[in-house]
Each structure stands twice: as structure tokens, then as C-alpha cells.
Amino acid sequence: MQSQKTSTPTPDQIRRAPKVLLHDHLDGGLRPGTIVDLARETGYTGLPESDPDKLGTWFREAADSGSLERYLETFAHTCAVMQTREALVRVAAECAEDLAADGVVYAEIRYAPEQHLEAGLTLEEVVEAVNEGFREGERRAREDGNRIRVGALLTAMRHAARSLEIAELANRYRDHGVVGFDIAGAEAGFPPTRHLDAFEYLKRENNHFTIHAGEAFGLPSIWQALQWCGADRLGHGVRIIDDIQVAEDGAVKLGPLASYVRDKRIPLEMCPSSNLQTAAAASYAEHPIGLLRRLHFRVTVNTDNRLMSGTSMSREFEHLVEAFAYSLDDLQWFTVNAMKSAFIPFDERLAMINDVIKPGYAELKAEWLFQQAAATPALASGSATPQA
Ligand SMILES: O=c1[nH]cnc2c1ncn2[C@@H]1O[C@H](CO)[C@@H](O)[C@H]1O
Ligand SMILES: [Zn+2]
């Protein structure tokens, strides 16, 4: 009899598996229907479509542009409707609710407070509104029987000049819903060292940060993020592949930067679908995540922008299962990697791994046993005696 133990996880199992998300933009994950509602309520007339389904399609297609710069243009519409306290609370609450319904148990959601000041909110009011929304979403998730914990990462835009101010904001809200800092936006022409003062400040404060690096620009960006700025994690980091040589016989040689990233267990926040849209990778099967996972880099799987990529954590896992035949053990490995790399305290990360993630996967991994028993009713009724 063939064991089902190693069979491919089903979409339903993937959805029920506990998942951890470290790289997801608040302004890249709105429900299309919410964008339409908020545009009406706030008087924003610039939306390209007014029907939610068509608007969702518009975002996916417009973001499917082959360039990070064009991909980022779509955020003008989401940021436009996220300018009031009520809008931010709603978007954040729905974010937590949607992630929890998808089986995400821990998420770090990022956004750039400086992009939400157009209607007169202060930076503090933006952070407090988003925090309120996350708490509301966690509460609604509990009511629905789901469990999720959400922390915020404050992003500074790399083309702008407010990074030190945003880093100070992140530090001030450190024990109040904010768990770290990030820089995002166009990468080419805006190297991480442009914001060195912000990173040096956070290091002096013993605070945590990640840097978008190695997405639309290569090794120099990753090198700066790590060796000049001291990033705890890399947002994307896919281009680390440029420092890895695979010979025809399969022998692998890591260059000095790739060795450093692997040796120091630098977490890579990989976002496969987003990378296909910005042409940082050609297909799921060719995405560097396959090789990096085999080489035991500290790889994590993320959504980046659920709206623009029409994705979810479950969808990202499904794509990878299809491309690389990953098992539940592989999905657990990605999830434990992500939890180890989170910015919350060590004891909480450990409890999440031991008390939530491992038991969740253990339960899923045991399902084949019971499915098999149910599929052989003759044995259960005793009419067929198994041969010893
Ligand atoms: O993959 C990405 N690379 C770089 N920047 C990004 C990416 N996704 C979103 N943003 C940028 O981050 C801002 C704050 O959330 C978004 O408004 C968008 O401009
Ligand atoms: Zn991102």
C-alpha cells in the first residue's frame, strides 16, 4: 500500500496551516470594494474603475509592468483613499481580518506614515489609527475563531528625506504596536546609505529594521544594506543569486556576500509573485527561492502586495508547492524561519513556534492517517482480516 504521507499539501491544508508573514504593505493589500467605498466617502475621483472586480483586475494588470517604478505607480490610488483616521482604521482592521482568515497567525505589516498626511493627519495620528485598526481586526478575527497577532513596521520612502524622522517615530512607538522600521520605493538611484543616519540612530536605540534591497538593483544594494546600514533582514534580497555560481555538474560556489548572508542567517523576505510582476524573476519555477531553500539560506515566503499581485500567503505557498513539489515539512520550515526572524521578543517567537506553528503542522501532517482509515471501510467493519 502506498503511503500518503508525502503527498502534496492540498489548497485546503495550506490555508489551514499556520503561516507567518513578515513582508506585506498595508497600502498594497486593500480590498477592491473598500477602495471604491473610501473613494466615494472621501471624494477621491481618480480611480481608473468604479466596479470592485474591474478595479481589482486593473491593479493586477497595471502592476504587471515588468518594472518596479511602474509597479509602484499603482500605489497613488491606494494612498489617495488612506488619508483619514477612519479610512486607516478600516484598512488596517480588514488587513488583520483577511490575513487571519487565510491562516496567518503572525504578521508584520508595513506602511509609510509620510504618505498619509495629505488631509492633515499628523504622523502620530496615522500610527495610532493603524494600530487601532490592527487591534480591531485581531478582535474580529477572534470572534470568527481565528487567531492572529499583528505588528507594524514603519517605512520611510527612499526617494524622500524623512527617514530619520520616521525612525524616531518607530522608536517612540516601539512598545505601542510598532516592531521595526524599513525603507521602500524605487531602489535604483536611491541606495540604502542615503538613509545611514536613520539606521545608525536605530542601532544606537537597539531597535530593529529591514531594508528593501536586491529587488530592482543587485549586489551593491544588498552589500550596503548589510555592511553599511546593518539591516537585520533583507526585503526581497533575490539578487543575492548573482553571488552564487552553479556549475554544470551542480557544484555550487558562494561568493563572499552570499556566504555572509547564509553564515549569518540573514533572513530573506522573498515575495515570488511580486518579483514576477517587476521582472526580478522570470517564473515561479525559475525563482531563486528554489536554489536558496536547497542551500539552506534563511528563506521566508511573503506576499508583498496582495492587491497588486492578487495573492495571499496561501496562494504564494500554492505556487511554490506547484513549482518545487514542496511538502508540509517545507512549508513548516519556511514558517519557522519567518517566526525566528520576526522583530518581537525571543520568548514570544519561541512560544509561537512551539505552541502554535509546530502543533498546527503536526496536526496537518497526521491527517493522512485518518484519511486512509476512512478510505478502507472493509477493514473498519471487520469483514476483511488483514494478513499479518
Ligand atoms: O516591492 C516593493 N519594493 C519597493 N517598494 C515597495 C514595494 N512594494 C511597495 N512598495 C512601496 O512601499 C510603500 C509603503 O508601503 C508603498 O506605497 C510603495 O510605494
Ligand atoms: Zn515590499
Side-chain angles (χ1 to χ4, degrees):
M1 198 195 318
Q2 203 185 346
S3 163
Q4 310 223 329
K5 196 174 175 191
T6 53
S7 68
T8 314
T10 63
D12 178 57
Q13 284 180 316
I14 292 174
R15 192 194 52 77
R16 286 184 291 127
K19 292 173 287 294
V20 171
L21 174 52
L22 300 179
H23 189 132
D24 184 272
H25 294 256
L26 184 66
D27 52 332
L30 289 80
R31 299 176 187 169
T34 298
I35 304 176
V36 171
D37 285 353
L38 292 175
R40 198 178 44 241
E41 287 166 22
T42 61
Y44 176 65
T45 55
L47 287 186
E49 297 283 351
S50 55
D51 170 74
D53 285 341
K54 286 187 183 153
L55 185 62
T57 306
W58 181 88
F59 272 104
R60 287 194 298 280
E61 289 178 355
D64 217 1
S65 57
S67 109
L68 177 60
E69 285 75 8
R70 300 229 328 266
Y71 174 93
L72 294 176
E73 286 171 13
T74 60
F75 289 79
H77 298 294
T78 54
C79 287
V81 301
M82 295 169 70
Q83 299 298 333
T84 64
R85 198 191 80 83
E86 295 72 25
L88 289 168
V89 172
R90 174 169 174 183
V91 169
E94 291 177 353
C95 168
E97 222 180 343
D98 291 351
L99 294 178
D102 188 43
V104 175
V105 292
Y106 177 81
E108 292 179 1
I109 305 298
R110 64 191 72 195
Y111 63 99
E114 69 200 66
Q115 298 192 124
H116 305 280
L117 308 176
E118 282 166 27
L121 292 178
T122 63
L123 290 171
E124 286 78 8
E125 284 168 340
V126 171
V127 173
E128 283 169 30
V130 172
N131 283 348
E132 185 182 327
F134 286 150
R135 301 295 81 75
E136 168 64 19
E138 290 169 343
R139 197 187 55 72
R140 281 190 219 156
R142 263 197 309 278
E143 272 173 18
D144 293 343
N146 298 318
R147 296 188 295 184
I148 187 165
R149 224 182 112 173
V150 180
L153 300 178
L154 301 191
T155 293
M157 299 308 294
R158 54 205 310 160
H159 60 268
R162 300 187 79 155
S163 48
L164 182 57
E165 197 183 351
I166 303 302
E168 286 167 352
L169 188 69
N171 205 49
R172 225 173 314 136
Y173 280 90
R174 187 172 185 175
D175 296 319
H176 305 281
V178 174
V179 299
F181 174 80
D182 162 54
I183 57 167
E187 187 176 7
F190 300 100
T193 44
R194 204 166 170 267
H195 304 281
L196 199 52
D197 53 349
F199 301 122
E200 287 183 339
Y201 163 78
L202 288 169
K203 280 193 276 185
R204 284 197 301 276
E205 294 294 333
N206 307 302
N207 212 325
H208 309 290
F209 55 93
T210 175
I211 296 181
H212 275 81
E215 178 189 19
F217 203 71
L219 296 176
S221 189
I222 297 178
W223 176 71
Q224 278 199 7
L226 296 175
Q227 313 304 16
W228 285 80
C229 305
D232 296 287
R233 309 195 302 235
L234 293 172
H236 297 282
V238 266
R239 299 293 1 138
I240 196 64
I241 202 81
D242 297 348
D243 202 33
I244 301 175
Q245 283 175 11
V246 183
E248 276 191 9
D249 65 355
V252 174
K253 189 170 181 320
L254 302 192
L257 186 58
S259 293
Y260 182 90
V261 169
R262 187 169 74 161
D263 291 345
K264 297 285 263 190
R265 316 304 301 139
I266 305 289
L268 301 172
E269 304 164 357
M270 312 215 90
C271 311
S273 293
S274 169
N275 292 159
L276 300 198
Q277 290 183 294
T278 62
S283 68
Y284 292 104
E286 293 161 275
H287 193 284
I289 197 167
L291 177 63
L292 295 168
R293 189 262 172 277
R294 277 209 313 280
L295 297 176
H296 288 272
F297 279 73
R298 184 170 294 174
V299 176
T300 72
V301 177
N302 302 274
T303 48
D304 208 11
N305 297 295
R306 286 168 290 120
L307 170 68
M308 286 74 181
S309 297
T311 195
S312 63
M313 268 307 280
S314 292
R315 289 291 294 145
E316 293 304 302
F317 271 174
E318 281 171 35
H319 288 304
L320 296 179
V321 163
E322 199 181 309
F324 301 108
Y326 286 146
S327 64
L328 282 169
D329 282 326
D330 293 303
L331 302 189
Q332 174 175 325
W333 184 78
F334 287 123
T335 307
V336 169
N337 274 351
M339 202 61 238
K340 283 180 177 170
S341 313
F343 288 159
I344 55 168
F346 174 73
D347 54 344
E348 296 174 23
R349 285 184 269 151
L350 205 58
M352 274 283 198
I353 291 170
N354 290 329
D355 303 339
V356 178
I357 295 167
K358 288 187 176 172
Y361 279 90
E363 201 167 306
L364 292 170
K365 282 187 268 181
E367 278 177 355
W368 68 281
L369 287 165
F370 303 100
Q371 277 159 8
Q372 206 146 9
T376 50
L379 276 181
S381 69
S383 59
T385 314
Q387 300 299 312

